Amino acid sequence: LNDVSLPKSITNLDGRPIPKIIHFIVQSECLPTEVANAHTKHWETISDHSILYHDQITIDKYMAQPRKDFPAAAEKYKCALDPLAKMDLAKLMLLWDNGGVVVDFGHITGPAFQNGTFISDTDECMFEVDADLDVNPRFIACKPRHSALYAAIVKFLTVPFVDYTPLFPYTKQTRSLTIGSVRSFMTMDNKSEGEGRKGDFQKERGHFEGDWIVLINATAIDGDLFTSLPMKDGTLNETRLRLVPKQEQVQCNAILRNDSYKVDIEGLLDLVEYGKENSTCPHFLHYIGSNFNERSIIEGRKIPKFVHMTSKSRCFAKEFVDAIGAWRFEDYSIFIHDDATVDKFMSREWPEFPLLQEARSCIATGAGLADLWRYMIIWEYGGIYTDIDNRPGPLFRNGSIITDDTDSFFDVDGMGGFPSQYFFVASPHHPVTYHMVQHAINRLMDVTSIGNQNVPFVTGPAAVKCGVLSTINNAYPKMGFYTGLNNRTITVVGDRRRKPVGSLYLLRSNIPDKKNIIKRMGMLHHSKEGNLNGRRKYKLHSCLHENYHNLKNSTV
């Protein structure tokens, strides 16, 4: 296969958004003669377009380059578990940087493609859809830096099936949802060619972030856009990108294979400013600082004897002092993380969570931030997380129910029937907390209105449920012991149908007149919060909008 490179005066016409460049990604430019001849016979009839072939060596080198706009792209590409996922991410990056047309190899032009004139001189981005409006990712045409490409790339960098989780294969449906993710954010124009109803239109225009998008209904147009090039299965597989060798795949999975259970205690003590806290409080509140016990870290024990809590400050009403004091078990450390500590922790560099800061910009309430923080603090340091108004129940046995071999421990939520988000226990770097973080980030990036987001659905219990699902393939586990991803385990207690059993492990919201007390402490329920840095009141746009404009306005 040989490139056909035309001068820019032909491919990049003044005023035409989409360059006349057709990109193909192939494993090798050396293919059986009959396949190569049949392919070029059709595509080289489009005489006013450059045709560029990107082989595995070229694409691997291109995708490995460090980027400031999408720093996670290199690792996601390298560690993709499916050849199609690898190719699709590379296609999107090629279009983001260069613009043009990408077509899956193995397709040749049909009569509806009209030798490329199907794409007009005013079109900015074009997707093919079926009668159900699902995107067919075999063909995309876009100008460089189009907002639809940004949406699709961000989706790739957040979804779990691209890298570490074999429970979510890269199917036709997930491929369509990922590349076509912008469709849920589009505002459709009233002008459509055809009836304009679902399944009936031929072309429909919409816009996103000021960029125009055309949806082509392949089932309603005259003739086919593309037809398949006859190839044997073996030849087709030879055109697809190879995955990294198994020995390198181990490196890709290193994040979730960290089973050393070691804790960076110096980093944790520095984080909470242990021994340096300012203990000044208003006269009606009481100061509670962190308390470190050296016996809380035991060689060979999976979960350190830590209890982590968070609050706006370390100044508490007496009722909360009593609740927090109930967690002072023998040989346990208690760490109180106030707003400043949470921000300091979240502002670190997190290579395992590459879109964390983008997601943080879409959190509208302190409750949403506390949700994401709790998953991350247990991911990093391990231990018990509990809300400050919880008390341990009698069956928790002063923490002794967590043995040296316990890897993670969840109480079933009495309302939803899935593992609770207000209390959970895990070892450092357990896959379940990794996935809880990733699902919270993914859900934040999908938010359509930052100020009006449903916090429990975005960062709260739903993220925990999905994290557990990703780890043991069960979102509603009953009381028992489960082995999941990388042979890491989850212990579940409590039962939705028998609430008294659950309450024996954990006593929820055991503080009378809590609403008025937390007001005195300067805290509000997430539904009553004013705003977090102005986001709840003023930011009613989507998270994609927020970050796309942040990127456009940056120096990247």
Side-chain angles (χ1 to χ4, degrees):
L1 299 172
N2 295 307
D3 289 349
V4 178
S5 298
L6 301 180
K8 283 190 174 182
S9 58
I10 297 176
T11 61
N12 295 65
L13 298 174
D14 288 342
R16 180 185 169 94
I18 301 176
K20 292 185 174 184
I21 304 171
I22 301 173
H23 303 273
F24 291 99
I25 295 178
V26 290
Q27 188 183 120
S28 170
E29 294 181 44
C30 298
L31 291 173
T33 303
E34 64 276 12
V35 174
N37 288 343
H39 173 85
T40 55
K41 174 184 175 182
H42 287 271
W43 284 103
E44 290 182 3
T45 60
I46 307 176
S47 57
D48 59 347
H49 282 62
S50 288
I51 299 177
L52 305 181
Y53 299 97
H54 309 270
D55 64 11
Q56 179 102 36
I57 294 174
T58 304
I59 283 293
D60 285 355
K61 184 177 179 181
Y62 166 70
M63 291 298 295
Q65 295 176 2
R67 306 183 64 106
K68 292 185 177 180
D69 49 3
F70 301 108
E75 185 73 6
K76 291 284 183 176
Y77 172 83
K78 175 184 174 183
C79 294
L81 292 175
D82 189 284
L84 278 178
K86 198 178 189 79
M87 182 184 71
D88 285 343
L89 180 55
K91 289 195 316 188
L92 292 168
M93 298 304 298
L94 277 174
L95 288 181
W96 174 260
D97 287 335
N98 306 286
V101 182
V102 290
V103 181
D104 286 359
F105 190 87
H107 292 90
I108 53 179
T109 57
F113 195 68
Q114 301 169 2
N115 283 342
T117 59
F118 187 73
I119 304 168
S120 75
D121 287 344
T122 59
D123 288 334
E124 294 183 344
C125 198
M126 184 177 289
F127 291 90
E128 178 188 357
V129 298
D130 60 20
D132 294 321
L133 299 185
D134 290 330
V135 171
N136 187 339
R138 65 178 180 174
F139 155 77
I140 310 172
C142 251
K143 70 177 184 180
R145 304 295 197 274
H146 194 284
S147 56
L149 298 173
Y150 176 82
I153 292 169
V154 165
K155 191 69 175 177
F156 253 100
L157 301 184
T158 57
V159 289
F161 54 75
V162 175
D163 50 6
Y164 300 114
T165 311
L167 294 175
F168 296 89
Y170 194 61
T171 63
K172 178 181 178 182
Q173 181 183 16
T174 50
R175 190 183 185 208
S176 171
L177 289 173
T178 301
I179 292 184
S181 58
V182 71
R183 187 167 57 79
S184 59
F185 295 91
M186 285 173 57
T187 301
M188 299 310 300
D189 192 11
N190 291 328
K191 298 177 181 179
S192 304
E193 296 181 21
E195 294 297 323
R197 298 190 306 270
K198 182 177 180 180
D200 291 338
F201 69 90
Q202 294 179 355
K203 279 188 177 183
E204 189 162 43
R205 283 166 54 85
H207 58 88
F208 174 63
E209 301 302 330
D211 290 335
W212 285 99
I213 303 168
V214 177
L215 300 181
I216 305 299
N217 186 353
T219 63
I221 59 176
D222 294 329
D224 295 323
L225 274 178
F226 307 101
T227 59
S228 296
L229 184 67
M231 281 191 293
K232 297 178 182 178
D233 289 342
T235 304
L236 179 60
N237 290 334
E238 288 177 8
T239 67
R240 293 178 175 173
L241 298 180
R242 297 182 302 274
L243 301 178
V244 297
K246 287 186 177 180
Q247 61 270 26
E248 292 186 38
Q249 198 72 40
V250 172
Q251 298 175 10
C252 292
N253 291 329
I255 289 176
L256 292 188
R257 293 188 182 277
N258 183 349
D259 56 0
S260 67
Y261 306 104
K262 293 189 180 300
V263 178
D264 176 17
I265 187 59
E266 295 300 326
L268 178 55
L269 295 177
D270 179 68
L271 174 68
V272 298
E273 298 183 334
Y274 185 67
K276 305 174 186 175
E277 302 102 322
N278 181 358
S279 58
T280 304
C281 289
H283 70 279
F284 54 88
L285 297 178
H286 305 268
Y287 181 83
I288 300 181
S290 298
N291 178 50
F292 173 58
N293 187 325
E294 291 184 355
R295 294 189 296 275
S296 60
I297 301 176
I298 301 172
E299 187 71 28
R301 181 182 171 92
K302 294 181 178 179
I303 301 176
K305 293 184 175 183
F306 297 162
V307 180
H308 298 276
M309 304 181 190
T310 185
S311 179
K312 188 176 184 64
S313 75
R314 295 188 175 106
C315 297
F316 297 90
K318 183 180 183 305
E319 293 83 351
F320 281 92
V321 173
D322 294 341
I324 293 170
W327 295 93
R328 296 188 185 278
F329 308 137
E330 184 179 0
D331 294 340
Y332 268 75
S333 298
I334 289 184
F335 297 104
I336 307 296
H337 305 258
D338 60 9
D339 281 358
T341 304
V342 168
D343 182 68
K344 180 180 176 183
F345 176 72
M346 301 285 281
S347 298
R348 293 177 179 175
E349 289 189 11
W350 294 95
E352 64 266 53
F353 305 120
L355 287 176
L356 174 66
Q357 302 312 325
E358 287 85 348
R360 278 186 69 192
S361 69
C362 301
I363 296 176
T365 65
L369 184 63
D371 284 338
L372 185 54
W373 166 85
R374 72 188 65 181
Y375 314 143
M376 294 185 63
I377 202 74
I378 301 301
W379 158 258
E380 183 69 5
Y381 296 114
I384 297 170
Y385 168 79
T386 179
D387 286 356
I388 58 174
D389 57 347
N390 292 333
R391 292 174 185 260
L395 287 187
F396 199 64
R397 301 200 297 267
N398 291 328
S400 63
I401 195 171
I402 309 297
T403 69
D404 289 354
D405 292 326
T406 304
D407 205 3
S408 67
F409 183 94
F410 286 84
D411 182 39
V412 171
D413 181 87
M415 298 279 291
F418 43 78
S420 73
Q421 158 257 12
Y422 45 77
F423 162 83
F424 57 90
V425 189
S427 58
H429 302 109
H430 194 292
V432 72
T433 48
Y434 171 84
H435 284 294
M436 286 154 65
V437 176
Q438 289 288 33
H439 280 287
I441 290 173
N442 189 17
R443 287 168 173 269
L444 281 163
M445 299 303 292
D446 279 345
V447 162
T448 55
S449 174
I450 293 174
N452 292 326
Q453 65 185 270
N454 182 342
V455 174
F457 177 78
V458 177
T459 57
V464 173
K465 180 174 71 172
C466 290
V468 172
L469 174 65
S470 295
T471 307
I472 61 172
N473 203 21
N474 187 346
Y476 296 89
K478 297 179 181 179
M479 195 166 182
F481 182 81
Y482 299 84
T483 300
L485 201 62
N486 296 340
N487 292 318
R488 301 294 289 271
T489 62
I490 292 179
T491 301
V492 178
V493 298
D495 192 317
R496 178 184 186 181
R497 296 166 298 179
R498 293 180 292 162
K499 293 182 182 178
V501 174
S503 66
L504 292 178
Y505 292 94
L506 186 75
L507 305 178
R508 284 279 289 142
S509 300
N510 203 255
I511 296 177
D513 197 26
K514 185 176 77 170
K515 289 184 179 179
N516 289 323
I517 293 173
I518 63 174
K519 281 183 181 179
R520 297 207 318 265
M521 292 165 52
M523 300 165 61
L524 292 172
H525 187 269
H526 71 82
S527 63
K528 300 289 194 299
E529 282 189 87
N531 57 70
L532 185 65
N533 296 332
R535 293 172 200 162
R536 189 168 182 86
K537 185 175 180 180
Y538 300 109
K539 294 189 176 181
L540 302 181
H541 50 254
S542 70
C543 186
L544 280 177
H545 170 101
E546 177 77 8
N547 284 287
Y548 179 63
H549 281 271
N550 287 345
L551 180 62
K552 285 179 67 175
N553 295 331
S554 74
T555 57
V556 175

